[in-house]
Amino acid sequence: QVRLVESGGGLVQPGGSLRLSCAASRSIGNINFMGWELQAPGKERELVATISSGGSTTYAESVKDRFTISRDNSKNTVYLQMNSLKAEDTAVYYCKAVTYGYSGARLEVWGQGTLVTCSS
């Protein structure tokens, strides 16, 4: 089972930037999708961005044009570059991996999360 460890969160002022990293315990080249989800205080978890094994990306409307997801297979790492941060971005960010087994069964794994706080 792949293990994911997030890092890079912290305190940032509105308009600032952070880069989150997600280090995987094994090769991510065969993982169908990797991505980021967030959970704000008192709210349900929601999808932020995804990147497929082929490099296709998707973004939530709220972060489009501000966040960029990328992947470095040689380092077994996925990144989330966050620019123009807003107070509304404050949340715990979780890395996510989605794979499909031989039978087609879906397997979904999350890391422990990293806290991003955007406040003036």
Side-chain angles (χ1 to χ4, degrees):
Q1 179 70 265
V2 64
R3 296 183 296 277
L4 307 173
V5 179
E6 302 97 332
S7 63
L11 177 64
V12 63
Q13 292 188 327
S17 298
L18 287 173
R19 188 179 76 162
L20 306 184
S21 298
C22 172
S25 61
R26 65 168 177 83
S27 173
I28 62 173
N30 294 323
I31 296 177
N32 296 88
F33 296 92
M34 296 201 70
W36 293 89
E37 296 179 340
L38 67 81
Q39 188 165 24
K43 301 182 67 176
E44 296 183 348
R45 193 175 297 190
E46 59 186 75
L47 186 66
V48 177
T50 66
I51 184 166
S52 73
S53 60
S56 298
T57 59
T58 65
Y59 297 93
E61 186 67 27
S62 61
V63 306
K64 188 182 299 182
D65 300 322
R66 296 191 298 121
F67 292 7
T68 302
I69 188 171
S70 62
R71 180 185 66 203
D72 187 339
N73 288 355
S74 68
K75 297 181 179 179
N76 298 333
T77 301
V78 174
Y79 304 97
L80 184 68
Q81 179 66 47
M82 304 187 296
N83 299 325
S84 301
L85 282 161
K86 307 173 181 179
E88 305 92 271
D89 298 319
T90 295
V92 177
Y93 286 73
Y94 297 90
C95 186
K96 178 181 179 179
V98 179
T99 60
Y100 294 89
Y102 179 78
S103 65
R106 178 185 175 95
L107 178 63
E108 199 166 78
V109 176
W110 291 269
Q112 295 296 309
T114 185
L115 176 63
V116 172
T117 302
C118 184
S119 176
S120 60

